[in-house]
Amino acid sequence: MRRGHEHEQHHSGNGAAGGGNRPPARLPTAQWQAPQRTNGYEHYYRHAEADLDAVESAFAEGFADASDPASFLRLACIPFEATDGTGEELVLLRVECETAVVVGKAGRDPRGGAARYTPLPKRMATRRRRLRFVYFDGSGPRVLSLEEVRDLTL
């Protein structure tokens, strides 16, 4: 026996807990699943997302770099043909991703007088992504946000 190791226990040669040639105990698999809609599509999001702006920004980034935009839309569960809440049928025409860079602020002078413009320093300039889905409703184009598209019925 070694010093400080006075009990009768055999250790496997690989340093893993347990003895002999038994594989290490497996932990149960952790899995998160969204309930399926009746149409069979799984949606990994729902309406009241606190970080919808982050989801929208990530979608715009990924969509802009996608080698196959149609497949990207399918993976994101964006319907090509759908029905809105009033029963109007819609077909997807295009997805618009824009980046706006805020470099200044304008507003009225609180003391009255003319409008005031303030350019922002570099560290305060911000980028905002705008994501729009343009559907055709039979009479003309209709622009929807990501949240509105998620409310459509397939």
Side-chain angles (χ1 to χ4, degrees), residues 86-137:
T86 65
E88 189 83 36
E89 292 185 14
L90 305 172
V91 291
L92 183 62
L93 297 177
R94 66 183 173 272
V95 179
E96 298 175 349
C97 300
E98 294 178 345
T99 301
V101 182
V102 179
V103 295
K105 292 191 178 213
R108 290 262 172 226
D109 189 339
R111 298 175 300 242
R116 207 169 103 185
Y117 171 72
T118 307
L120 296 173
K122 176 183 172 184
R123 64 176 164 54
M124 292 181 68
T126 58
R127 286 179 169 71
R128 295 182 184 159
R129 290 191 186 264
R130 291 189 191 129
L131 180 62
R132 287 183 232 134
F133 299 86
V134 181
Y135 282 85
F136 182 72
D137 65 6

Side-chain angles (χ1 to χ4, degrees), residues 26-101:
R26 286 198 156 155
L27 296 174
T29 303
Q31 185 174 15
W32 179 86
Q33 291 180 324
Q36 286 192 354
R37 285 183 157 181
T38 56
N39 62 19
Y41 283 87
E42 288 187 348
H43 289 266
Y44 299 102
Y45 44 70
R46 261 330 315 144
H47 304 295
E49 276 190 54
D51 59 349
L52 185 60
D53 57 335
V55 171
E56 202 169 38
S57 182
F59 180 96
E61 285 176 26
F63 186 73
D65 294 335
S67 62
D68 183 357
S71 292
F72 188 94
L73 292 172
R74 286 184 187 98
L75 284 170
C77 299
I78 303 297
F80 288 85
E81 297 180 18
T83 306
D84 69 6
T86 65
E88 189 83 36
E89 292 185 14
L90 305 172
V91 291
L92 183 62
L93 297 177
R94 66 183 173 272
V95 179
E96 298 175 349
C97 300
E98 294 178 345
T99 301
V101 182

